[in-house]
Amino acid sequence: MTSLSMTSYPVTLEMTSMLGTSQSVTLETTSLSMTTTLYDPNYPWNGDCSNVLGGGPPASNVYTIIPSGAPGPISVYCDVKPEGVFTRIMEHGGNCGVDDWNLPMSDYISGFGQDVSCDHWIGLQNMFYLTNTISNYKLEINIRLENGNNDSIHYGSFLVKDPTAWTLRLDSFSGSTNNYLGNGFDNLPTASSADLIDNEDFEANGVNVYGCSGGDKSGWWFSPNCLNTNLCLPLGQVEKALYPTTRQILWPELSGNDQVVKHVTMQIRKTN
């Protein structure tokens, strides 16, 4: 946001005539200055992170947005990259903000984690509001492994399809590893549709028949065999101490060996 301001100040001129007499004349001049306010993190921008406007160079930070159809504003982390601005929907490292992801379904719907620059889940409801627009959203998953290596994979289309079953739609995989998320679902290798996000609350009511989250101590879009990668599995010392027998998040490197995941982020970007 830009504002203009005017400042007036006097200027004195000394004038000498042809007869040798001098005279002082005081004039008033006005200067015009432009002040630019950089991206306001508290202003409720409509839409997603790509709608955050301001002067000067963009910066990755926490901002306030109002997704289309949402009842009110939410805080999100906006990750600014050369290819565009991403809206982060999940961060999980097990070392700040959320010590236990074995939470009720209501938390997975509304979201949890007070600090969105740290561990958090933005909520299925907000994912639905963000992605159910005329725009297409790309999903980026960034992985940090315990061996120090990093990896990223992308899906050309990410959509939480409905506000009751929270069905996930992934499409157009690209990355240096196998389609570890999509291959877990019974569909084409580049197009995946998980039936529901699986959670103990859903299982107790017979809504989801897979029964995966009891062993994984977290909610996720599971495949029928419960073996696809679950990025909400326990991470960090506190979570692993709570659930020492739960499987780890493993990630396939190009070498063919599965490595233990240390930190993960999921974020989306509007592509049209």
Side-chain angles (χ1 to χ4, degrees):
M1 291 172 286
T2 302
S3 60
L4 297 176
S5 61
M6 292 187 295
T7 303
S8 298
Y9 56 91
V11 175
T12 301
L13 301 178
E14 190 75 23
M15 303 176 64
T16 303
S17 68
M18 296 180 62
L19 300 176
T21 61
S22 62
Q23 184 178 3
S24 296
V25 178
T26 300
L27 303 175
E28 188 175 88
T29 186
T30 301
S31 68
L32 185 66
S33 63
M34 181 179 295
T35 303
T36 300
T37 303
L38 298 182
Y39 304 82
D40 184 352
N42 299 312
Y43 182 84
W45 303 96
N46 289 318
D48 58 30
C49 285
S50 66
N51 294 74
V52 176
L53 304 174
S60 298
N61 201 353
V62 176
Y63 297 96
T64 302
I65 63 171
I66 305 178
S68 178
I74 60 172
S75 294
V76 294
Y77 186 83
C78 300
D79 189 11
V80 180
K81 293 189 170 184
E83 64 268 33
V85 183
F86 287 83
T87 303
R88 188 160 296 174
I89 60 174
M90 179 266 235
E91 181 167 354
H92 189 196
N95 56 5
C96 64
V98 183
D99 290 330
D100 188 357
W101 288 57
N102 188 24
L103 298 170
M105 189 65 195
S106 57
D107 288 347
Y108 275 91
I109 292 172
S110 61
F112 51 86
Q114 293 184 346
D115 185 356
V116 294
S117 65
C118 198
D119 288 1
H120 71 282
W121 172 269
I122 199 176
L124 293 165
Q125 191 171 47
N126 289 320
M127 295 182 198
F128 171 79
Y129 287 136
L130 282 166
T131 59
N132 276 266
T133 67
I134 61 173
S135 300
N136 178 71
Y137 281 86
K138 170 184 179 180
L139 173 66
E140 176 183 85
I141 300 175
N142 298 301
I143 299 291
R144 187 187 311 150
L145 302 173
E146 285 192 348
N147 65 5
N149 293 337
N150 299 316
D151 194 14
S152 294
I153 63 172
H154 303 87
Y155 291 87
S157 180
F158 171 88
L159 173 67
V160 176
K161 294 174 64 176
D162 61 83
T164 54
W166 311 111
T167 307
L168 170 68
R169 180 73 184 181
L170 293 175
D171 201 357
S172 304
F173 167 82
S174 62
S176 60
T177 63
N178 292 325
N179 184 0
Y180 229 36
L181 296 184
N183 284 347
F185 306 140
D186 291 336
N187 221 309
L188 297 174
T190 58
S192 312
S193 191
D195 290 336
L196 294 167
I197 186 163
D198 197 349
N199 178 277
E200 287 183 347
D201 287 356
F202 269 29
E203 293 162 11
N205 293 310
V207 179
N208 192 297
V209 297
Y210 297 162
C212 305
S213 65
D216 276 10
K217 302 302 179 185
S218 58
W220 189 248
W221 295 278
F222 288 104
S223 64
N225 59 15
C226 305
L227 295 179
N228 62 309
T229 297
N230 171 7
L231 300 181
C232 293
L233 277 164
L235 288 175
Q237 295 181 351
V238 175
E239 286 184 281
K240 290 181 178 180
L242 287 172
Y243 312 111
T245 61
T246 301
R247 65 180 177 135
Q248 295 179 304
I249 307 179
L250 298 178
W251 200 254
E253 290 197 302
L254 288 177
S255 62
N257 298 320
D258 287 346
Q259 300 293 334
V260 176
V261 171
K262 183 178 181 180
H263 185 270
V264 58
T265 62
M266 296 172 61
Q267 50 193 31
I268 56 176
R269 178 174 67 85
K270 184 161 53 180
T271 59
N272 63 346

Short mmCIF file of all heavy atoms in Angstrom, two decimals, residues 185-221:
data_model
loop_
_atom_site.label_atom_id
_atom_site.label_comp_id
_atom_site.label_asym_id
_atom_site.label_seq_id
_atom_site.Cartn_x
_atom_site.Cartn_y
_atom_site.Cartn_z
N PHE A 185 -2.84 -45.35 -3.43
CA PHE A 185 -4.27 -45.36 -3.67
C PHE A 185 -4.55 -46.20 -4.91
O PHE A 185 -3.76 -46.23 -5.85
CB PHE A 185 -4.79 -43.93 -3.88
CG PHE A 185 -4.44 -42.99 -2.76
CD1 PHE A 185 -4.06 -41.69 -3.01
CD2 PHE A 185 -4.49 -43.42 -1.44
CE1 PHE A 185 -3.75 -40.82 -1.98
CE2 PHE A 185 -4.18 -42.56 -0.40
CZ PHE A 185 -3.80 -41.26 -0.66
N ASP A 186 -5.68 -46.87 -4.91
CA ASP A 186 -6.01 -47.77 -6.01
C ASP A 186 -6.52 -46.98 -7.20
O ASP A 186 -7.73 -46.87 -7.45
CB ASP A 186 -7.07 -48.78 -5.56
CG ASP A 186 -6.51 -49.77 -4.56
OD1 ASP A 186 -5.28 -49.97 -4.57
OD2 ASP A 186 -7.28 -50.33 -3.77
N ASN A 187 -5.58 -46.41 -7.95
CA ASN A 187 -5.95 -45.61 -9.10
C ASN A 187 -4.74 -45.57 -10.03
O ASN A 187 -3.74 -46.24 -9.81
CB ASN A 187 -6.37 -44.20 -8.67
CG ASN A 187 -7.59 -43.71 -9.45
OD1 ASN A 187 -7.59 -43.78 -10.67
ND2 ASN A 187 -8.61 -43.26 -8.75
N LEU A 188 -4.82 -44.76 -11.05
CA LEU A 188 -3.70 -44.64 -11.97
C LEU A 188 -2.48 -44.09 -11.27
O LEU A 188 -2.60 -43.33 -10.30
CB LEU A 188 -4.09 -43.72 -13.14
CG LEU A 188 -5.25 -44.22 -14.02
CD1 LEU A 188 -5.60 -43.14 -15.04
CD2 LEU A 188 -4.88 -45.51 -14.71
N PRO A 189 -1.26 -44.40 -11.70
CA PRO A 189 -0.06 -43.93 -11.03
C PRO A 189 0.04 -42.42 -10.90
O PRO A 189 0.65 -41.91 -9.97
CB PRO A 189 1.07 -44.48 -11.91
CG PRO A 189 0.47 -45.67 -12.58
CD PRO A 189 -0.96 -45.31 -12.81
N THR A 190 -0.56 -41.68 -11.85
CA THR A 190 -0.46 -40.22 -11.80
C THR A 190 -1.75 -39.55 -11.36
O THR A 190 -1.86 -38.35 -11.36
CB THR A 190 -0.07 -39.66 -13.18
OG1 THR A 190 -1.03 -40.08 -14.13
CG2 THR A 190 1.31 -40.14 -13.57
N ALA A 191 -2.76 -40.36 -10.98
CA ALA A 191 -4.02 -39.77 -10.52
C ALA A 191 -4.54 -40.59 -9.36
O ALA A 191 -4.76 -41.79 -9.50
CB ALA A 191 -5.04 -39.73 -11.65
N SER A 192 -4.72 -39.99 -8.21
CA SER A 192 -5.06 -40.73 -7.01
C SER A 192 -6.24 -40.09 -6.31
O SER A 192 -6.40 -38.88 -6.30
CB SER A 192 -3.87 -40.75 -6.04
OG SER A 192 -2.70 -41.11 -6.73
N SER A 193 -7.06 -40.92 -5.71
CA SER A 193 -8.20 -40.40 -4.98
C SER A 193 -8.39 -41.24 -3.72
O SER A 193 -8.76 -42.41 -3.80
CB SER A 193 -9.46 -40.44 -5.85
OG SER A 193 -10.51 -39.72 -5.25
N ALA A 194 -8.10 -40.67 -2.58
CA ALA A 194 -8.29 -41.38 -1.32
C ALA A 194 -9.73 -41.21 -0.87
O ALA A 194 -10.31 -40.14 -1.00
CB ALA A 194 -7.33 -40.85 -0.27
N ASP A 195 -10.31 -42.29 -0.32
CA ASP A 195 -11.73 -42.24 0.05
C ASP A 195 -12.00 -41.23 1.15
O ASP A 195 -12.92 -40.44 1.06
CB ASP A 195 -12.19 -43.63 0.51
CG ASP A 195 -12.25 -44.60 -0.66
OD1 ASP A 195 -12.40 -44.12 -1.79
OD2 ASP A 195 -12.14 -45.80 -0.43
N LEU A 196 -11.25 -41.27 2.23
CA LEU A 196 -11.48 -40.40 3.37
C LEU A 196 -10.15 -40.14 4.07
O LEU A 196 -9.20 -40.90 3.90
CB LEU A 196 -12.42 -41.06 4.39
CG LEU A 196 -13.86 -41.33 4.00
CD1 LEU A 196 -14.51 -42.25 5.01
CD2 LEU A 196 -14.65 -40.03 3.94
N ILE A 197 -10.12 -39.09 4.87
CA ILE A 197 -9.01 -39.02 5.80
C ILE A 197 -9.37 -39.94 6.96
O ILE A 197 -10.46 -39.89 7.51
CB ILE A 197 -8.73 -37.59 6.29
CG1 ILE A 197 -7.48 -37.58 7.15
CG2 ILE A 197 -9.92 -36.97 7.01
CD1 ILE A 197 -6.88 -36.22 7.36
N ASP A 198 -8.48 -40.86 7.26
CA ASP A 198 -8.73 -41.92 8.24
C ASP A 198 -8.33 -41.45 9.63
O ASP A 198 -7.23 -40.95 9.83
CB ASP A 198 -7.90 -43.15 7.84
CG ASP A 198 -8.38 -44.40 8.53
OD1 ASP A 198 -9.21 -44.29 9.46
OD2 ASP A 198 -7.93 -45.49 8.15
N ASN A 199 -9.23 -41.60 10.57
CA ASN A 199 -8.99 -41.14 11.92
C ASN A 199 -9.78 -42.04 12.86
O ASN A 199 -10.80 -42.61 12.48
CB ASN A 199 -9.42 -39.68 12.04
CG ASN A 199 -9.26 -39.11 13.43
OD1 ASN A 199 -10.13 -39.30 14.27
ND2 ASN A 199 -8.16 -38.43 13.68
N GLU A 200 -9.32 -42.19 14.10
CA GLU A 200 -9.99 -43.09 15.03
C GLU A 200 -11.46 -42.74 15.24
O GLU A 200 -12.30 -43.60 15.43
CB GLU A 200 -9.25 -43.09 16.37
CG GLU A 200 -7.91 -43.83 16.31
CD GLU A 200 -7.21 -43.89 17.66
OE1 GLU A 200 -7.64 -43.17 18.56
OE2 GLU A 200 -6.26 -44.65 17.78
N ASP A 201 -11.80 -41.44 15.18
CA ASP A 201 -13.20 -41.04 15.32
C ASP A 201 -14.04 -41.60 14.18
O ASP A 201 -15.17 -42.05 14.37
CB ASP A 201 -13.31 -39.51 15.33
CG ASP A 201 -12.83 -38.91 16.63
OD1 ASP A 201 -12.47 -39.68 17.54
OD2 ASP A 201 -12.81 -37.68 16.73
N PHE A 202 -13.48 -41.54 12.97
CA PHE A 202 -14.20 -42.08 11.82
C PHE A 202 -14.35 -43.59 11.95
O PHE A 202 -15.40 -44.16 11.67
CB PHE A 202 -13.46 -41.74 10.52
CG PHE A 202 -13.90 -40.44 9.91
CD1 PHE A 202 -14.40 -39.41 10.70
CD2 PHE A 202 -13.82 -40.24 8.55
CE1 PHE A 202 -14.81 -38.21 10.13
CE2 PHE A 202 -14.22 -39.04 7.97
CZ PHE A 202 -14.72 -38.03 8.76
N GLU A 203 -13.28 -44.26 12.38
CA GLU A 203 -13.30 -45.72 12.49
C GLU A 203 -14.32 -46.17 13.53
O GLU A 203 -15.04 -47.15 13.34
CB GLU A 203 -11.91 -46.23 12.84
CG GLU A 203 -10.89 -46.01 11.73
CD GLU A 203 -9.46 -46.11 12.23
OE1 GLU A 203 -9.26 -46.55 13.37
OE2 GLU A 203 -8.55 -45.73 11.48
N ALA A 204 -14.39 -45.47 14.65
CA ALA A 204 -15.31 -45.84 15.73
C ALA A 204 -16.76 -45.76 15.28
O ALA A 204 -17.62 -46.51 15.77
CB ALA A 204 -15.09 -44.94 16.94
N ASN A 205 -17.05 -44.88 14.33
CA ASN A 205 -18.41 -44.71 13.84
C ASN A 205 -18.67 -45.49 12.55
O ASN A 205 -19.72 -45.34 11.94
CB ASN A 205 -18.69 -43.22 13.59
CG ASN A 205 -18.72 -42.43 14.89
OD1 ASN A 205 -19.40 -42.81 15.82
ND2 ASN A 205 -17.97 -41.34 14.93
N GLY A 206 -17.71 -46.30 12.15
CA GLY A 206 -17.89 -47.12 10.97
C GLY A 206 -17.82 -46.36 9.67
O GLY A 206 -18.20 -46.87 8.62
N VAL A 207 -17.33 -45.11 9.71
CA VAL A 207 -17.28 -44.29 8.50
C VAL A 207 -16.15 -44.76 7.59
O VAL A 207 -16.27 -44.78 6.38
CB VAL A 207 -17.11 -42.81 8.85
CG1 VAL A 207 -17.04 -41.96 7.59
CG2 VAL A 207 -18.26 -42.36 9.74
N ASN A 208 -15.03 -45.13 8.18
CA ASN A 208 -13.89 -45.58 7.40
C ASN A 208 -13.54 -47.01 7.81
O ASN A 208 -13.36 -47.28 8.99
CB ASN A 208 -12.70 -44.65 7.63
CG ASN A 208 -11.58 -44.89 6.63
OD1 ASN A 208 -11.00 -45.97 6.60
ND2 ASN A 208 -11.28 -43.91 5.81
N VAL A 209 -13.46 -47.88 6.84
CA VAL A 209 -13.29 -49.31 7.15
C VAL A 209 -11.83 -49.74 7.18
O VAL A 209 -11.54 -50.89 7.48
CB VAL A 209 -14.05 -50.17 6.13
CG1 VAL A 209 -15.55 -49.88 6.20
CG2 VAL A 209 -13.54 -49.93 4.70
N TYR A 210 -10.89 -48.83 6.88
CA TYR A 210 -9.50 -49.25 6.76
C TYR A 210 -8.87 -49.52 8.11
O TYR A 210 -8.05 -50.43 8.26
CB TYR A 210 -8.67 -48.20 6.01
CG TYR A 210 -9.11 -47.96 4.57
CD1 TYR A 210 -8.73 -46.83 3.88
CD2 TYR A 210 -9.91 -48.90 3.91
CE1 TYR A 210 -9.13 -46.61 2.57
CE2 TYR A 210 -10.32 -48.70 2.61
CZ TYR A 210 -9.93 -47.56 1.94
OH TYR A 210 -10.33 -47.35 0.65
N GLY A 211 -9.21 -48.72 9.13
CA GLY A 211 -8.66 -48.94 10.47
C GLY A 211 -7.17 -48.74 10.56
O GLY A 211 -6.48 -49.48 11.27
N CYS A 212 -6.64 -47.73 9.90
CA CYS A 212 -5.20 -47.52 9.86
C CYS A 212 -4.68 -46.62 10.98
O CYS A 212 -3.56 -46.80 11.44
CB CYS A 212 -4.78 -46.90 8.53
SG CYS A 212 -5.31 -47.82 7.06
N SER A 213 -5.48 -45.65 11.39
CA SER A 213 -4.94 -44.61 12.25
C SER A 213 -4.66 -45.09 13.67
O SER A 213 -3.88 -44.48 14.38
CB SER A 213 -5.88 -43.41 12.29
OG SER A 213 -7.11 -43.76 12.91
N GLY A 214 -5.32 -46.19 14.09
CA GLY A 214 -5.04 -46.71 15.42
C GLY A 214 -3.59 -47.12 15.58
O GLY A 214 -2.97 -46.87 16.62
N GLY A 215 -3.03 -47.71 14.54
CA GLY A 215 -1.63 -48.10 14.59
C GLY A 215 -0.68 -46.96 14.30
O GLY A 215 0.41 -46.89 14.83
N ASP A 216 -1.11 -46.03 13.46
CA ASP A 216 -0.25 -44.91 13.07
C ASP A 216 -0.35 -43.73 14.03
O ASP A 216 0.44 -42.79 13.94
CB ASP A 216 -0.61 -44.44 11.66
CG ASP A 216 0.08 -45.26 10.59
OD1 ASP A 216 0.67 -46.31 10.93
OD2 ASP A 216 0.04 -44.88 9.41
N LYS A 217 -1.33 -43.73 14.91
CA LYS A 217 -1.51 -42.66 15.91
C LYS A 217 -1.57 -41.28 15.25
O LYS A 217 -1.03 -40.30 15.76
CB LYS A 217 -0.38 -42.70 16.94
CG LYS A 217 -0.26 -44.03 17.68
CD LYS A 217 -1.56 -44.37 18.41
CE LYS A 217 -1.47 -45.69 19.14
NZ LYS A 217 -2.76 -46.09 19.76
N SER A 218 -2.28 -41.20 14.13
CA SER A 218 -2.46 -39.93 13.42
C SER A 218 -3.49 -40.13 12.34
O SER A 218 -3.81 -41.26 11.96
CB SER A 218 -1.13 -39.46 12.81
OG SER A 218 -0.62 -40.44 11.92
N GLY A 219 -4.03 -39.03 11.84
CA GLY A 219 -4.95 -39.08 10.71
C GLY A 219 -4.21 -38.91 9.40
O GLY A 219 -3.19 -38.23 9.32
N TRP A 220 -4.75 -39.51 8.34
CA TRP A 220 -4.16 -39.38 7.01
C TRP A 220 -5.11 -39.94 5.98
O TRP A 220 -6.08 -40.63 6.32
CB TRP A 220 -2.80 -40.08 6.94
CG TRP A 220 -2.04 -39.79 5.68
CD1 TRP A 220 -1.76 -40.66 4.66
CD2 TRP A 220 -1.47 -38.54 5.28
NE1 TRP A 220 -1.05 -40.02 3.67
CE2 TRP A 220 -0.86 -38.71 4.02
CE3 TRP A 220 -1.43 -37.28 5.87
CZ2 TRP A 220 -0.24 -37.69 3.35
CZ3 TRP A 220 -0.80 -36.26 5.19
CH2 TRP A 220 -0.20 -36.47 3.95
N TRP A 221 -4.84 -39.67 4.70
CA TRP A 221 -5.60 -40.29 3.61
C TRP A 221 -4.96 -41.65 3.31
O TRP A 221 -4.00 -41.73 2.53
CB TRP A 221 -5.56 -39.41 2.38
CG TRP A 221 -6.26 -38.09 2.53
CD1 TRP A 221 -7.60 -37.86 2.40
CD2 TRP A 221 -5.66 -36.80 2.77
NE1 TRP A 221 -7.87 -36.52 2.58
CE2 TRP A 221 -6.71 -35.85 2.81
CE3 TRP A 221 -4.36 -36.37 2.99
CZ2 TRP A 221 -6.49 -34.50 3.03
CZ3 TRP A 221 -4.13 -35.02 3.22
CH2 TRP A 221 -5.19 -34.10 3.23
#
